[in-house]
Coordinates of all heavy atoms in Angstrom, one line a residue:
M1 N -12.8 0.9 4.6 CA -11.5 0.3 4.3 C -10.6 1.3 3.6 O -11.0 1.8 2.6 CB -11.7 -1.0 3.5 CG -10.3 -1.6 3.1 SD -9.9 -2.8 4.4 CE -8.4 -3.4 3.6
T2 N -9.5 1.7 4.2 CA -8.6 2.6 3.6 C -7.4 1.9 3.0 O -7.1 0.8 3.3 CB -8.2 3.7 4.6 OG1 -7.5 3.0 5.7 CG2 -9.3 4.5 5.2
L3 N -6.8 2.6 2.1 CA -5.6 2.1 1.4 C -4.4 2.0 2.4 O -4.0 3.1 2.8 CB -5.3 2.9 0.2 CG -6.1 2.7 -1.1 CD1 -5.7 3.7 -2.2 CD2 -6.0 1.3 -1.6
P4 N -3.9 0.9 2.7 CA -2.8 0.8 3.6 C -1.6 1.5 3.0 O -1.3 1.3 1.9 CB -2.6 -0.7 3.8 CG -3.2 -1.4 2.6 CD -4.3 -0.5 2.2
G5 N -0.9 2.2 3.9 CA 0.3 2.9 3.5 C 0.2 4.2 2.7 O 1.2 4.8 2.4
V6 N -1.1 4.6 2.4 CA -1.3 5.8 1.7 C -1.6 6.9 2.7 O -2.6 6.8 3.4 CB -2.4 5.7 0.6 CG1 -2.7 7.0 0.0 CG2 -2.0 4.7 -0.5
K7 N -0.8 8.0 2.7 CA -1.1 9.1 3.5 C -1.4 10.3 2.6 O -0.7 10.6 1.6 CB 0.2 9.5 4.3 CG 0.0 10.8 5.1 CD 1.3 11.2 5.8 CE 1.2 12.6 6.4 NZ 2.4 13.0 7.1
C8 N -2.6 10.9 2.8 CA -3.0 12.0 1.9 C -3.5 13.1 2.7 O -4.3 12.9 3.7 CB -4.1 11.4 1.0 SG -4.7 12.7 -0.2
T9 N -3.2 14.3 2.3 CA -3.6 15.5 3.0 C -4.7 16.3 2.2 O -5.0 17.5 2.6 CB -2.4 16.5 3.3 OG1 -1.8 16.8 2.1 CG2 -1.4 15.8 4.2
V10 N -5.2 15.8 1.1 CA -6.2 16.5 0.3 C -7.6 16.3 0.9 O -8.4 15.5 0.4 CB -6.1 16.0 -1.2 CG1 -7.0 16.9 -2.1 CG2 -4.7 16.0 -1.7
S11 N -7.9 17.1 1.8 CA -9.1 16.9 2.6 C -10.4 17.2 1.9 O -11.4 16.8 2.4 CB -9.0 17.7 4.0 OG -8.9 19.1 3.7
N12 N -10.3 17.9 0.7 CA -11.6 18.1 0.0 C -11.8 17.1 -1.0 O -12.7 17.2 -1.9 CB -11.6 19.5 -0.6 CG -10.6 19.6 -1.7 OD1 -9.5 19.1 -1.7 ND2 -11.0 20.4 -2.8
C13 N -11.1 16.0 -1.1 CA -11.3 14.8 -2.0 C -12.4 14.0 -1.4 O -12.5 13.7 -0.2 CB -10.0 14.0 -2.2 SG -10.3 12.6 -3.2
K14 N -13.3 13.4 -2.3 CA -14.4 12.6 -1.8 C -14.0 11.3 -1.2 O -14.7 10.6 -0.4 CB -15.5 12.4 -2.8 CG -15.1 11.4 -3.9 CD -16.2 11.3 -4.9 CE -15.9 10.2 -6.0 NZ -17.0 10.1 -6.9
F15 N -12.7 10.9 -1.5 CA -12.2 9.6 -0.9 C -11.4 9.8 0.4 O -11.0 8.9 1.0 CB -11.3 9.0 -2.0 CG -12.0 8.6 -3.2 CD1 -11.7 9.2 -4.4 CD2 -12.9 7.5 -3.2 CE1 -12.4 8.9 -5.6 CE2 -13.6 7.2 -4.4 CZ -13.3 7.8 -5.6
W16 N -11.2 11.1 0.8 CA -10.4 11.4 1.9 C -11.1 11.1 3.2 O -12.3 11.3 3.3 CB -10.0 12.9 1.9 CG -9.0 13.2 3.0 CD1 -7.6 13.1 2.9 CD2 -9.2 13.8 4.2 NE1 -7.0 13.6 4.0 CE2 -8.0 14.0 4.9 CE3 -10.4 14.2 4.9 CZ2 -7.9 14.6 6.2 CZ3 -10.3 14.7 6.2 CH2 -9.1 14.9 6.8
Q17 N -10.4 10.5 4.2 CA -11.0 10.3 5.5 C -10.1 10.9 6.6 O -8.8 10.9 6.4 CB -11.1 8.8 5.7 CG -12.3 8.2 5.0 CD -12.6 6.8 5.5 OE1 -11.8 6.1 6.1 NE2 -13.8 6.3 5.2
Q18 N -10.7 11.2 7.7 CA -10.0 11.7 8.8 C -8.8 10.9 9.1 O -8.8 9.7 9.0 CB -10.9 11.7 10.0 CG -10.6 12.7 11.1 CD -10.9 14.1 10.7 OE1 -11.7 14.4 9.9 NE2 -10.1 15.1 11.3
G19 N -7.7 11.6 9.5 CA -6.4 10.8 9.8 C -5.5 10.7 8.6 O -4.6 9.9 8.6
E20 N -5.8 11.6 7.6 CA -5.0 11.6 6.4 C -5.0 10.2 5.6 O -4.0 9.7 5.2 CB -3.5 12.0 6.7 CG -3.5 13.5 7.3 CD -2.1 14.0 7.5 OE1 -1.2 13.2 7.7 OE2 -2.0 15.2 7.6
R21 N -6.2 9.6 5.6 CA -6.3 8.3 4.9 C -7.1 8.4 3.6 O -7.8 9.4 3.4 CB -7.1 7.3 5.8 CG -6.5 7.2 7.2 CD -5.0 6.8 7.2 NE -4.7 5.6 6.4 CZ -4.7 4.3 6.9 NH1 -4.9 4.1 8.2 NH2 -4.4 3.3 6.2
C22 N -7.0 7.4 2.7 CA -7.7 7.4 1.5 C -8.6 6.2 1.4 O -8.1 5.1 1.6 CB -6.7 7.4 0.3 SG -7.4 7.1 -1.3
N23 N -9.8 6.3 1.1 CA -10.7 5.1 1.1 C -11.1 4.7 -0.3 O -12.1 4.0 -0.5 CB -11.9 5.3 2.0 CG -12.9 6.3 1.4 OD1 -12.8 6.8 0.4 ND2 -14.0 6.6 2.2
A24 N -10.3 5.2 -1.3 CA -10.5 4.7 -2.7 C -10.1 3.2 -2.8 O -9.3 2.8 -2.0 CB -9.7 5.5 -3.7
S25 N -10.6 2.5 -3.8 CA -10.2 1.1 -3.9 C -8.7 1.0 -4.5 O -8.0 0.0 -4.2 CB -11.1 0.3 -4.8 OG -11.3 0.9 -6.0
A26 N -8.3 2.0 -5.2 CA -7.0 2.1 -5.8 C -6.8 3.5 -6.2 O -7.8 4.3 -6.3 CB -6.8 1.2 -7.0
I27 N -5.6 4.0 -6.4 CA -5.3 5.3 -6.8 C -4.4 5.3 -8.1 O -3.6 4.4 -8.2 CB -4.7 6.2 -5.7 CG1 -3.4 5.7 -5.2 CG2 -5.7 6.5 -4.6 CD1 -2.6 6.7 -4.3
E28 N -4.6 6.3 -8.9 CA -3.7 6.5 -10.1 C -2.9 7.8 -9.8 O -3.4 8.9 -9.6 CB -4.5 6.7 -11.3 CG -3.7 6.9 -12.6 CD -4.5 7.0 -13.8 OE1 -5.6 6.6 -13.9 OE2 -3.9 7.6 -14.8
V29 N -1.6 7.7 -10.0 CA -0.7 8.8 -9.8 C 0.1 9.0 -11.1 O 0.6 8.1 -11.7 CB 0.4 8.5 -8.7 CG1 1.3 9.7 -8.5 CG2 -0.4 8.3 -7.3
N30 N 0.1 10.3 -11.6 CA 0.7 10.6 -12.8 C 1.7 11.8 -12.6 O 1.6 12.5 -11.6 CB -0.4 11.0 -13.9 CG -1.2 9.8 -14.2 OD1 -2.4 9.9 -14.0 ND2 -0.7 8.8 -14.7
V31 N 2.5 12.0 -13.7 CA 3.4 13.2 -13.7 C 2.6 14.3 -14.3 O 1.9 14.2 -15.3 CB 4.6 12.8 -14.6 CG1 5.6 14.0 -14.6 CG2 5.3 11.6 -14.0
D32 N 2.8 15.5 -13.7 CA 2.2 16.7 -14.3 C 2.7 16.9 -15.7 O 3.9 16.7 -16.0 CB 2.6 17.9 -13.5 CG 2.0 18.0 -12.1 OD1 0.9 17.3 -11.9 OD2 2.5 18.7 -11.2
G33 N 1.8 17.2 -16.6 CA 2.2 17.5 -18.0 C 2.1 16.3 -18.9 O 2.4 16.5 -20.1
G34 N 1.9 15.1 -18.4 CA 1.7 14.0 -19.3 C 3.0 13.2 -19.5 O 2.9 12.1 -20.1
S35 N 4.1 13.6 -19.0 CA 5.4 12.8 -19.2 C 5.3 11.6 -18.2 O 4.4 11.5 -17.4 CB 6.5 13.7 -18.7 OG 7.7 12.9 -18.6
S36 N 6.2 10.7 -18.4 CA 6.3 9.5 -17.5 C 7.6 9.6 -16.6 O 7.9 8.7 -16.0 CB 6.3 8.2 -18.3 OG 7.4 8.1 -19.2
N37 N 8.2 10.8 -16.6 CA 9.4 11.0 -15.8 C 9.2 12.2 -15.0 O 9.0 13.3 -15.5 CB 10.6 11.2 -16.7 CG 11.0 9.9 -17.4 OD1 11.5 9.0 -16.8 ND2 10.7 9.9 -18.7
A38 N 9.3 12.0 -13.6 CA 9.2 13.2 -12.7 C 10.6 13.4 -12.1 O 11.4 12.4 -12.0 CB 8.2 12.9 -11.6
H39 N 10.9 14.6 -11.8 CA 12.2 14.9 -11.2 C 12.1 15.3 -9.7 O 13.1 15.4 -9.0 CB 12.9 16.1 -12.0 CG 13.1 15.7 -13.4 ND1 14.0 14.8 -13.9 CD2 12.4 16.2 -14.5 CE1 13.9 14.7 -15.2 NE2 13.0 15.5 -15.6
A40 N 10.9 15.5 -9.3 CA 10.7 15.9 -7.9 C 9.2 15.5 -7.5 O 8.4 15.4 -8.4 CB 10.9 17.4 -7.7
S41 N 9.0 15.3 -6.3 CA 7.7 14.8 -5.8 C 6.6 15.8 -6.2 O 5.4 15.4 -6.4 CB 7.7 14.5 -4.3 OG 8.1 15.6 -3.6
D42 N 6.9 17.1 -6.2 CA 5.8 18.0 -6.5 C 5.4 18.0 -8.0 O 4.6 18.8 -8.4 CB 6.2 19.4 -6.0 CG 7.4 20.0 -6.7 OD1 8.0 19.4 -7.6 OD2 7.8 21.2 -6.3
Q43 N 6.1 17.2 -8.8 CA 5.7 17.1 -10.2 C 4.7 15.9 -10.4 O 4.3 15.6 -11.5 CB 6.9 16.8 -11.1 CG 7.8 18.0 -11.1 CD 9.1 17.8 -11.9 OE1 9.5 16.6 -12.1 NE2 9.7 18.8 -12.3
T44 N 4.3 15.2 -9.3 CA 3.4 14.1 -9.4 C 2.1 14.4 -8.7 O 2.1 15.3 -7.8 CB 4.0 12.8 -8.7 OG1 4.2 13.0 -7.4 CG2 5.3 12.5 -9.4
N45 N 1.0 13.8 -9.1 CA -0.2 14.1 -8.4 C -1.2 12.9 -8.6 O -1.1 12.1 -9.5 CB -0.8 15.4 -8.8 CG -1.1 15.4 -10.3 OD1 -2.1 14.8 -10.8 ND2 -0.2 16.0 -11.1
C46 N -2.2 12.9 -7.7 CA -3.2 11.8 -7.7 C -4.3 12.1 -8.7 O -5.1 13.1 -8.5 CB -3.8 11.6 -6.3 SG -5.1 10.4 -6.2
H47 N -4.5 11.3 -9.7 CA -5.6 11.5 -10.7 C -6.9 10.8 -10.3 O -7.9 10.9 -11.0 CB -5.2 11.1 -12.1 CG -4.3 12.2 -12.7 ND1 -4.6 12.8 -13.9 CD2 -3.1 12.7 -12.3 CE1 -3.7 13.7 -14.2 NE2 -2.8 13.6 -13.2
T48 N -6.9 10.2 -9.2 CA -8.2 9.6 -8.6 C -9.0 10.7 -7.9 O -10.1 10.5 -7.6 CB -7.8 8.4 -7.7 OG1 -7.0 7.5 -8.4 CG2 -9.1 7.6 -7.3
F49 N -8.3 11.8 -7.6 CA -9.0 12.9 -6.8 C -10.3 13.2 -7.5 O -10.4 13.3 -8.7 CB -8.1 14.1 -6.8 CG -8.8 15.3 -6.4 CD1 -9.0 15.6 -5.0 CD2 -9.4 16.2 -7.3 CE1 -9.7 16.7 -4.6 CE2 -10.0 17.3 -6.9 CZ -10.2 17.6 -5.5
A50 N -11.3 13.4 -6.7 CA -12.6 14.0 -7.1 C -13.1 14.8 -6.0 O -13.0 14.5 -4.8 CB -13.6 12.8 -7.4
P51 N -13.6 16.0 -6.3 CA -14.0 17.0 -5.3 C -15.2 16.4 -4.5 O -16.0 15.7 -5.1 CB -14.3 18.2 -6.0 CG -14.5 17.8 -7.4 CD -13.7 16.6 -7.6
K52 N -15.3 16.8 -3.3 CA -16.5 16.4 -2.5 C -17.8 17.0 -3.0 O -17.7 18.2 -3.5 CB -16.3 16.8 -1.0 CG -15.5 15.8 -0.3 CD -15.3 16.3 1.2 CE -14.4 15.4 1.9 NZ -14.0 15.9 3.3
Ligands
SF4_101 S1 -8.0 9.6 -4.2 FE1 -6.0 10.6 -4.1 S2 -6.5 12.7 -3.5 FE2 -8.2 11.5 -3.0 S3 -7.9 10.9 -0.8 FE3 -7.1 9.2 -2.1 S4 -4.9 9.7 -2.4 FE4 -5.9 11.6 -1.6

């Protein structure tokens, strides 16, 4: 079961599945540096990531 609506290209994550899908039960996304305000998408990232 993959997360509907989530597209991910991080293919070395243990939750990643073929077709740019994520099979984690939920994901946590944070701002780089610990702030709660991002100014651009490249300042955010998935903290559920775990290497394969
Ligand atoms: S946990 Fe995050 S990095 Fe890993 S596949 Fe899901 S969305 Fe991508």
Side-chain angles (χ1 to χ4, degrees):
M1 178 88 177
T2 57
L3 282 176
V6 173
K7 174 184 174 182
C8 180
T9 59
V10 187
S11 61
N12 69 321
C13 177
K14 73 177 184 181
F15 297 110
W16 187 86
Q17 283 193 342
Q18 202 73 26
E20 300 183 337
R21 307 303 306 267
C22 172
N23 71 4
S25 58
I27 60 170
E28 177 180 342
V29 178
N30 296 121
V31 180
D32 289 339
S35 167
S36 60
N37 292 288
H39 302 291
S41 58
D42 64 0
Q43 295 175 337
T44 67
N45 60 79
C46 177
H47 280 242
T48 307
F49 168 82
K52 281 181 183 169

